[in-house]
Amino acid sequence: MPTQFLTSLTKEDAHEDGIWSVAWSSKNALVTGSLDATVKVWDTDSGELKGTLTGHQLGVNSVDTNADGTLAVSTSLDSQIRIWDLENIKQHKVIDAGAVQAWTAKFSPDGKHIATGSSSGDINQFSVESGEKVQTFEGRGKFSMCVAYSPNGEYIACGTEASPDSATVLLFDVATGKLRNTFKGHAMTVRSLAFSSDSSKLMTGSDDKRIMIHDAVHGNTIRTLSGHSAWVLSVAVSSDGVHVASGSSDSKVKLWDLVADQCIDTMDGHSDQVWGLAWNKQGNKFASVSDDKAIKFYSTTSA
Amino acid sequence: MYHPHSSSTLEIPLKGSDNVLEISRSSLPTPAELFDILKAEEAPLRNYVLFALEYARQNNVDSAIKVLIDGLNVEYEPNPRPRLPLHNLLASLYIRKAYQPGINPHDRNTLWSEATKHLGAAEKINPKDDTTWISKGLLLLSRNSLDEAYRHFKQVLGENSRSIPALLGTARIHFIRENYVQALNCYRNVLKLQPDCIPNPRIGMGLCFYKLGMVEHAQKAFTRCIEMDGHDATAHVLLGIIEFNKCKHPDLSEDDMKQHYKAGFLHLKDAYAADKNHPVVGLYMSRHFAVIKNVDKAMAFATKASNANGLKNVQSEGFYILGRIHHQNERYLDAVACYQKAVTYNPDNLLAQFGFGQTLLFKQDIAAAISAFERILSKEPKCVEAIAILGSIYSRSSASKGKALEFFDRATNIIHERNTLSIQDPLMFTEMAQLLEQTDIPKTLKAYMFALGICGQKIDRGEFVEYMPELLNNVAAINHMDGRLDAAEGSYNKALDLCAAKGDDVDMATEATITTIRYNLARLYEERNEIQRAEEIYKDIAARYHGYADAHLRLGVIEQSRGNFEQAAELYKDVFGMIDNKNVDAWTLMGMLQQKQNQIRNSRKTLERIVKEINRHDVYALLALGNNHLGIAREEKDNMAMKQELYKKAFEFFDKVLKIDAYNAYAANGIAISLAVHGHHTEAREMFLQLREAASAIPTIWLNLALVSADMGQYRNAVLLYQSVSKKFFNNEDENVILSMAKAQYCLAKQEKSPEKMQQALAMAQRAFRLNPSDKTALYDIALIQQSYAQLVSDRASSERTVEDINNAMAGLNVAKSILKSLIAVPAKEHVYYERDIAAQREKHGDSLLNMLQRKLKDQEEFEAGKKKAMDETRRKREEEKAKKDEEERNERERREAEERAILERRRALDEGAKETQRELDEMNRERAERKRMVVSEDDLSDDGLDANGERESKKQKKDRKPREPKEPKEPKEPKEARKGKLRKKSELEGRARSKSMDRDDDGIHDDPTSQKSSSKKYKSKETIESDEDEMSD
């Protein structure tokens, strides 16, 4: 019997406009970024708003938190990378990356770096401390839509816009800075990717409506999950590696059980594109955010 | 009647002596030798008769005739009288010969005229001779002149009521006339008069019993015949037939049926042993071998039966069996020929008539087939099978669909009337359903369910229903079409299970069925987004049956949807390159794919190929070509003559489509675009509105409606239309639709001079940008909107904006500047939809806007400070006034209270002395209390009145103040070029949106050949695919 997840809390109108990104910190703060140009911090238990962070001029299309849950990073269409102090709910640092040079950002597992994808397809690594660009991973010229560090810190993966040769997922070796693997499963834009907690698998979601699970080390595709009727905008893996949640522009959230090898649930509580998903550290709760301005929290029946 | 067995020899009296010459019956001389002896001895003519009879008894009819003719010719007997028996015997021998199987009609006529001749001669000798009359009766009988024959027999019986031949002849006539009781009486008379008569009257009796439904009596009669003569083939075969007929009883169990068949066959075997040449025996032997699939033997017997000249029914039946065997072995031409002979020999052989009709259908001789089935109906008006087939024939032509439905209805009514399952034909309901498919889906489903029900009952009875899977498939397809996917999946799987139950070595037809069902199932998976499952099935089908074009095409469509354009193209090419060069679907998909890849010229060539080489009425290709030209026309910016020419061509294509299909929404959409292009916005909008009503599922129409609304300046409307179409059709995924929405919102904001609405335009542009961040157009639009927002804020009166608004606008200008800078810096080799120098001008314009806003920020801050001061002043004044008023009120209230107290005191003083006036006093008090309440409420009222006045006054003030404000010039420092650039940008936005909406045109159509066109195919069982496809391409 697969684990069941139920909607435990819904925050309607959590932002003034569509919500585009979400992260769940290890200290159980939910960070959301919105088209209304704000970043908001929420208590994941009560759903209470802990603070609103302003500064971005345009929509906030990615947020992430560092491993110890003290900092958040956000990127916006205004090309600013902003680092926020989650303890005092205030701005910590601004990095100006230049127009469309920082599309989405992720903290490295050790929290020292931030990786961002750029319009040139390169992945830039910034130092959190200095705010300087410290390393560039050379892509293949296709706009880099999303990035992810493997939890062991060895790899950076990025998903790109559509490419005729289907090479839309790239995997770099952090130590050498070299391109290590190219995954050719999706010919259409890859908007989201996530590593399993043991760093062995890479999940990718694409406009081709599919989710693919790749062997990160060997580069082969393990499985393809289809079921969404529109673009897959977000994927997230639970810490135990059993569950993958996916959000789509078909307004649905799907939950896949990788052990049972099937879609175990489809949540249709959102009324617009589901742009972001985030799991808690234990892997028994997750949250989804959507263009319908709502945040939804889900938890296992046992949680 | 003569009795040939009285002795073993025949005698010839020797001339002039009492001695006789004895000739053994078993070793008769030839007629010539015999004649020599008879002539030499001048034997009496009576002896000729005796020898003729003996020859005849030994089945040597020709010798008998020879002897008799010789006898008639002898000259030693001058009297005519002794010649009479010779004439009679000759006549009956000729009749007998004419009756023999295998004789041809000409010979038979010759024989009949010979008989007639001799009977004439006999009649001349003695007009009242019984034997002559009987022979005449028999001759008339064999010539089917029943009334005449009956008259003759009657005549004989009038003279001699015990005349056996006359009785037998009469019985025969009664039997033919179906007066079985009378016939039975005649046979009974014969039996009484001569129990051992040959032919055995019990045969006739048995037949009468059988016809009267007394089967056991019949069997007894025939059995008695066999007891009397074990070699009575007729009795044996009749017993066999009775058993065989028992097998046809519908309520019989399988075991019983086998039992009867076996008994019947044993009789048949005995009959065959008794007489190998018995025509009816041969016929039944043939039937038997046909049943046990011994085709050669069946053919041999049937051929023999078919040659049984003179026995039309036997011949007809023989040909029928031959026809059936050919029919079953799919030798339709041979079958037609046999059936035709069968119905020629016996037009009432309805089974042959039926087979004839069926095989004529195979020969495509529809008219003849129809008349064959109509002939059946003229005999059997309630023959459901014939009615159903006629319905089926008529259903094949669209002109006679009404007629077809009439026949189906007729058949259905009969079936309901009879209310028995055994005659219900599931195939008929299937065909009926197929006929109804185009017009009446609920009725179709009903018909299918009916058919399924019948099949279900058949299966319950242990019968095998071969086409059950097809039926389930069709039912599933209807559910599939109506979106009941779970029900459809269930039925598809059930159908597949049934096919699987047939075992491993399935025939071709079953294989084809399995493939069709699996294909449909894959389509269903596709609809459920279980693309992988679908893909696996398509791949398997394509691998097994390379020629199954649709599987390749679906795989192509799937690849295309994943953006794997090259693989998709390969798959389409496989179909028209290797499988079918005239596959319109493949060419259409290819053309659409090329369009999607922006290979406009190639796309046009591909589509033109369809129209030129395959089907010049192909609506899809014509529409796509129209859209293709429309797209090029829109892109054409320089050569206006060319642009007009392209538009003209495009509308010619749409016009063609409308001529083929007057209700084609896509084509009408094209025509409406034509109206819009030529500036007839109102008419175009009207047309789009109507179209949207009629075809709300076509996004293009919505998009065009939005576009025309925007062109007409109805921006609010346009935005709403874009919003709904973006969500409804594109999951908000289409960047260009959202950009068009942003543009309409931008225009709305400018029209209404509303910075708030401009902010909404900014949000829309951001959404578009986020969907496709590598498209710099959206980025440019964001910068443009930011500047326009700043402009609007700048234009606003200080009283209607805030410092925060200005700060916001300035921050936005900074973002815009950084965007524009990056856009200017885009390398020249990269194609962009904006002009770099205009972007540069924009950047400068932003700077001047920024400067202006900086100044205005100061003014605004002062204004707001002043306003705050004024407001504080007002508040203070109001507070003072209020305090003053409160004071006055308090004073007034105190004054009144003092008055009241004084009155009360005076009253109380009065009361002291007069207790009886207490009641009066109470009243007064109440009155006073009421008055007090009145005073209080009057106060409230006056308060309200004051407030209202105050507000009115402040409004008036505002109004007065406005003209006094210094009026800001609109966009004062915007350079001329920048303004031009802005306009260009607008048209750019428009152009892109249009061209994208064109793409959507094509997407709409592009979907059609794959989903609608082949989907209509998928809902057919295999048999009807071709015909339906023809209809599709019509």
Side-chain angles (χ1 to χ4, degrees), chain A residues 260-276:
Chain A
D261 195 16
Q262 60 181 348
C263 175
I264 52 167
D265 209 351
T266 301
M267 290 92 158
D268 50 8
H270 285 298
S271 60
D272 213 330
Q273 297 168 324
V274 180
W275 278 109

Side-chain angles (χ1 to χ4, degrees), chain A residues 65-141:
Chain A
T65 56
N66 64 355
D68 52 15
T70 53
L71 295 177
V73 63
S74 62
T75 57
S76 153
L77 304 192
D78 66 9
S79 302
Q80 306 284 319
I81 304 168
R82 284 174 195 265
I83 301 174
W84 312 92
D85 174 350
L86 283 180
E87 270 151 10
N88 303 303
I89 315 279
K90 59 168 195 168
Q91 187 168 300
H92 177 72
K93 191 170 278 180
V94 189
I95 303 169
D96 186 351
V100 209
Q101 286 308 308
W103 189 245
T104 58
K106 281 277 161 69
F107 275 111
S108 63
D110 61 9
K112 285 181 183 159
H113 297 110
I114 288 166
T116 65
S118 71
S119 65
S120 65
D122 295 346
I123 311 297
N124 296 318
Q125 204 170 232
F126 294 87
S127 159
V128 172
E129 205 190 331
S130 68
E132 295 297 315
K133 194 197 282 183
V134 291
Q135 195 176 356
T136 295
F137 302 93
E138 255 181 64
R140 298 171 50 133

Side-chain angles (χ1 to χ4, degrees), chain B residues 532-562:
Chain B
Q532 256 170 298
R533 286 177 87 175
E535 207 179 356
E536 278 163 23
I537 295 174
Y538 292 139
K539 278 186 177 160
D540 185 62
I541 292 175
R544 284 180 197 227
Y545 313 102
H546 186 256
Y548 202 100
D550 285 334
H552 297 266
L553 294 181
R554 289 318 299 174
L555 284 171
V557 171
I558 290 173
E559 289 299 346
Q560 186 173 332
S561 78
R562 288 177 185 154

Side-chain angles (χ1 to χ4, degrees), chain B residues 478-506:
Chain B
I478 287 178
N479 281 322
H480 188 167
M481 204 152 52
D482 284 3
R484 292 182 295 275
L485 297 187
D486 290 340
E489 190 189 16
S491 297
Y492 285 139
N493 280 325
K494 214 165 141 190
L496 283 176
D497 288 347
L498 282 177
C499 290
K502 287 186 183 176
D504 288 339
D505 46 325
V506 290

Side-chain angles (χ1 to χ4, degrees), chain B residues 26-243:
Chain B
S26 55
S27 59
L28 289 178
T30 65
E33 285 168 0
L34 186 68
F35 181 53
D36 286 343
I37 302 167
L38 289 170
K39 201 164 75 179
E41 300 303 331
E42 292 187 2
L45 293 184
R46 198 176 61 86
N47 287 83
Y48 286 79
V49 173
L50 290 175
F51 277 100
L53 283 172
E54 184 56 31
Y55 276 127
R57 198 186 64 82
Q58 295 183 17
N59 272 329
N60 193 347
V61 178
D62 289 337
S63 297
I65 289 171
K66 179 87 177 55
V67 167
L68 289 173
I69 289 172
D70 287 343
L72 282 176
N73 288 338
V74 295
E75 285 159 4
Y76 58 82
E77 173 59 67
N79 282 332
R81 197 102 192 157
R83 286 190 162 78
L84 178 64
L86 276 74
H87 283 301
N88 278 341
L89 185 54
L90 263 172
S92 65
L93 285 173
Y94 282 128
I95 292 168
R96 179 170 160 188
K97 219 178 150 182
Y99 198 61
Q100 258 175 3
I103 194 149
N104 70 45
H106 177 260
D107 292 348
R108 191 166 54 214
N109 277 331
T110 318
L111 290 167
W112 275 339
S113 35
E114 282 297 313
T116 314
K117 197 179 85 192
H118 288 288
L119 285 174
E123 214 170 4
K124 245 184 220 162
I125 298 163
N126 182 5
K128 295 212 159 178
D129 185 82
D130 280 1
T131 317
T132 314
W133 278 83
I134 286 167
S135 295
K136 272 179 83 176
L138 287 175
L139 182 62
L140 288 163
L141 185 57
S142 62
R143 290 183 133 171
N144 225 11
S145 306
L146 297 187
D147 288 340
E148 277 295 287
Y150 187 72
R151 202 171 56 78
H152 279 79
F153 295 134
K154 194 110 194 244
Q155 171 79 27
V156 174
L157 288 173
E159 299 284 319
N160 172 16
S161 63
R162 301 164 69 92
S163 167
I164 301 287
L167 280 172
L168 286 173
T170 311
R172 176 97 192 109
I173 290 168
H174 282 311
F175 190 87
I176 290 169
R177 286 178 169 165
E178 301 180 357
N179 297 328
Y180 302 119
V181 178
Q182 282 98 319
L184 186 63
N185 282 335
C186 291
Y187 287 125
R188 271 196 177 127
N189 275 340
V190 174
L191 188 68
K192 265 186 235 155
L193 292 168
Q194 193 175 330
D196 57 349
C197 167
I198 289 178
N200 197 329
R202 290 171 190 84
I203 296 280
M205 287 173 71
L207 285 172
C208 289
F209 282 133
Y210 192 77
K211 289 287 184 186
L212 290 167
M214 301 153 80
V215 179
E216 277 177 38
H217 283 75
Q219 274 176 305
K220 266 185 199 159
F222 299 139
T223 310
R224 175 81 187 108
C225 293
I226 291 165
E227 281 166 13
M228 291 168 71
D229 175 9
H231 294 283
D232 190 335
T234 306
H236 275 301
V237 80
L238 285 169
L239 278 172
I241 291 170
I242 289 176
E243 294 294 337

Side-chain angles (χ1 to χ4, degrees), chain B residues 573-849:
Chain B
K573 275 184 205 158
D574 276 355
V575 171
F576 60 70
M578 288 153 73
I579 298 170
D580 175 11
N581 192 249
K582 296 217 180 298
N583 188 310
V584 174
D585 289 347
W587 285 110
T588 309
L589 285 168
M590 189 70 194
M592 294 305 159
L593 175 61
Q594 285 163 332
Q595 187 125 329
K596 199 171 179 106
Q597 289 174 289
N598 230 17
Q599 303 170 0
I600 306 299
R601 187 179 291 272
N602 286 343
S603 164
R604 190 166 66 195
K605 272 189 192 158
T606 307
L607 295 166
E608 276 170 355
R609 197 192 170 98
I610 298 173
V611 179
K612 280 183 187 153
E613 293 177 22
I614 305 175
N615 177 8
R616 65 197 176 89
H617 297 303
D618 191 277
V619 168
Y620 301 91
L622 288 171
L623 276 178
L625 279 168
N627 287 327
N628 188 302
H629 283 89
L630 208 53
I632 308 171
R634 281 170 170 164
E635 293 292 319
E636 182 60 59
K637 297 264 195 284
D638 304 324
N639 186 341
M640 283 302 136
M642 168 88 90
K643 195 181 177 86
Q644 284 307 314
E645 184 58 32
L646 285 163
Y647 271 130
K648 210 180 126 201
K649 260 194 146 167
F651 304 133
E652 277 170 13
F653 282 114
F654 294 132
D655 222 34
K656 252 183 216 168
V657 173
L658 283 180
K659 282 198 182 98
I660 297 162
D661 173 9
Y663 298 100
N664 191 298
Y666 290 101
N669 180 47
I671 299 294
I673 292 173
S674 147
L675 288 170
V677 161
H678 294 99
H680 306 294
H681 288 132
T682 317
E683 292 86 343
R685 191 175 141 80
E686 202 53 43
M687 198 160 169
F688 287 131
L689 276 170
Q690 280 175 13
L691 276 169
R692 188 181 59 170
E693 198 96 328
S696 59
I698 303 175
T700 329
I701 293 165
W702 293 68
L703 286 172
N704 286 328
L705 192 54
L707 201 69
V708 174
S709 297
D711 279 350
M712 292 169 78
Q714 301 177 354
Y715 301 118
R716 194 186 297 270
N717 223 329
V719 170
L720 288 174
L721 282 164
Y722 280 124
Q723 272 171 343
S724 80
V725 77
S726 172
K727 181 95 173 87
K728 187 172 171 175
F729 297 106
F730 303 113
N731 298 314
N732 286 332
E733 284 171 352
D734 193 294
E735 178 209 1
N736 289 296
V737 173
I738 297 174
L739 267 187
S740 301
M741 187 199 307
K743 188 237 167 185
Q745 178 73 28
Y746 166 88
C747 293
L748 179 65
K750 293 209 98 175
Q751 193 180 47
E752 299 189 0
K753 300 189 171 34
S754 161
E756 293 76 24
K757 291 207 160 69
M758 193 57 83
Q759 282 294 74
Q760 287 172 11
L762 181 63
M764 291 171 187
Q766 287 188 69
R767 278 181 205 277
F769 180 51
R770 183 164 199 229
L771 291 167
N772 185 8
S774 59
D775 181 358
K776 300 191 171 61
T777 315
L779 203 52
Y780 185 94
D781 289 348
I782 288 174
L784 179 81
I785 293 171
Q786 296 266 42
Q787 289 194 344
S788 298
Y789 172 76
Q791 186 75 54
L792 285 174
V793 170
S794 170
D795 288 351
R796 269 217 164 155
S798 301
S799 59
E800 286 172 42
R801 68 185 178 206
T802 61
V803 170
E804 201 196 330
D805 288 341
I806 295 179
N807 279 328
N808 206 357
M810 284 164 63
L813 282 174
N814 284 327
V815 173
K817 185 178 171 66
S818 123
I819 289 172
L820 287 167
K821 262 189 169 158
S822 77
L823 290 176
I824 295 160
V826 169
K829 64 178 195 302
E830 188 179 328
H831 173 72
V832 290
Y833 284 93
Y834 56 89
E835 280 173 45
R836 289 173 179 80
D837 49 343
I838 291 173
Q841 279 161 7
R842 272 266 152 211
E843 195 202 339
K844 282 190 199 117
H845 172 62
D847 288 345
S848 58
L849 263 176

Side-chain angles (χ1 to χ4, degrees), chain B residues 382-400:
Chain B
K382 294 201 167 179
C383 173
V384 177
E385 289 82 359
I387 296 172
I389 282 207
L390 280 168
S392 159
I393 294 170
Y394 287 125
S395 73
R396 293 181 198 188
S397 152
S398 53
S400 54

